[in-house]
Amino acid sequence: DAGVTQSPTHLIKTRGQHVTLRCSPISGHKSVSWYQQVLGQGPQFIFQYYEKEERGRGNFPDRFSARQFPNYSSELNVNALLLGDSALYLCASSFLAGVETQYFGPGTRLLVL
Amino acid sequence: AQSVTQPDIHITVSEGASLELRCNYSYGATPYLFWYVQSPGQGLQLLLKYFSGDTLVQGIKGFEAEFKRSQSSFNLRKPSVHWSDAAEYFCAVGTTSGTYKYIFGTGTRLKVLA
């Protein structure tokens, strides 16, 4: 079975632009979580979605938004990009939204110039 | 506050030597604990997890970890390291207060000498 897939793998944007990152969960998984991993740090929780509903949000500004589609895939949107948004964005999927093991995709590396 | 501490930023061991990576957590309720490994430019791969039961858990690639509630620790061990184990290792706690999410440590980068 395919694991979690993310697209694109790499992205270069300039300050002030908008970006959309995409994630497809493992087949049968209904929950998707997004994490930001800045170089040299551990991943930080951004959002969790389950059955198309937002279940949680981390300490990120409103420039960050996300949604989940009926097929359980998800998009992460970031508006008005800042240099500090440069990071590896990881998507993780799990069957449910509760106490579960999360399986991570390879990530999208975003560079903001 | 909920947190995970990995005291060692870098560790270097010789191939064939034993390994222990430290992880301490701060969490008021029953912790759900994980170790993930990240190779350069890659996502996170699950090594092992602890939810309940036996405090010594076995994982993939010959890794094991021991949960010690009294010490709030979940250290990762491997008896004999292989060169392919060179990577970054992250300890995480799954929190159940509010949204279930992972809180990660800052990671330990492992270098293996031939």
Side-chain angles (χ1 to χ4, degrees):
Chain A
D1 283 340
V4 178
T5 59
Q6 293 186 243
S7 63
T9 55
H10 295 82
L11 206 51
I12 299 175
K13 293 285 188 179
T14 56
R15 281 176 293 174
Q17 284 189 311
H18 162 269
V19 68
T20 298
L21 311 181
R22 296 178 175 83
C23 170
S24 292
I26 292 170
S27 177
H29 284 192
K30 300 179 180 180
S31 180
V32 169
S33 297
W34 287 94
Y35 292 80
Q36 180 196 63
Q37 185 180 15
V38 174
L39 197 62
Q41 297 183 19
Q44 298 286 319
F45 172 74
I46 311 175
F47 285 110
Q48 184 184 73
Y49 275 76
Y50 176 68
E51 292 280 18
K52 297 173 288 181
E53 303 259 335
E54 181 182 304
R55 286 299 189 95
R57 171 190 283 259
N59 188 24
F60 280 81
D62 291 344
R63 299 184 295 108
F64 288 76
S65 64
R67 55 179 176 168
Q68 186 177 33
F69 299 98
N71 66 353
Y72 303 113
S73 67
S74 177
E75 282 182 355
L76 175 70
N77 295 284
V78 187
N79 292 323
L81 285 167
L82 303 174
L83 296 180
D85 295 331
S86 295
L88 181 68
Y89 289 85
L90 294 165
C91 172
S93 80
S94 57
F95 181 61
L96 298 173
V99 177
E100 290 270 335
T101 300
Q102 297 185 356
Y103 296 90
F104 286 81
T108 293
R109 187 163 297 281
L110 172 64
L111 177 61
V112 182
L113 301 176
Chain B
Q2 303 156 0
S3 65
V4 175
T5 301
Q6 294 180 246
D8 305 304
I9 298 174
H10 296 279
I11 282 186
T12 300
V13 299
S14 297
E15 192 171 19
S18 64
L19 173 70
E20 182 169 28
L21 302 183
R22 296 184 290 164
C23 172
N24 293 96
Y25 66 89
S26 173
Y27 185 60
T30 300
Y32 301 95
L33 297 161
F34 304 83
W35 275 99
Y36 285 84
V37 60
Q38 186 176 40
S39 298
Q42 302 296 313
L44 300 170
Q45 181 184 21
L46 178 69
L47 285 176
L48 47 78
K49 62 186 178 184
Y50 172 79
F51 280 12
S52 65
D54 192 347
T55 57
L56 184 63
V57 294
Q58 303 297 320
I60 63 171
K61 304 185 179 186
F63 285 93
E64 67 176 26
E66 186 171 13
F67 170 58
K68 293 185 177 179
R69 185 184 297 275
S70 62
Q71 297 178 21
S72 297
S73 69
F74 188 56
N75 294 347
L76 182 71
R77 299 193 294 250
K78 186 170 184 178
S80 177
V81 170
H82 188 263
W83 64 266
S84 60
D85 293 325
E88 189 146 24
Y89 292 80
F90 290 95
C91 179
V93 61
T95 71
T96 54
S97 57
T99 301
Y100 176 73
K101 61 183 180 290
Y102 284 2
I103 295 175
F104 283 89
T106 52
T108 296
R109 183 166 297 278
L110 174 66
K111 182 176 179 180
V112 181
L113 301 177

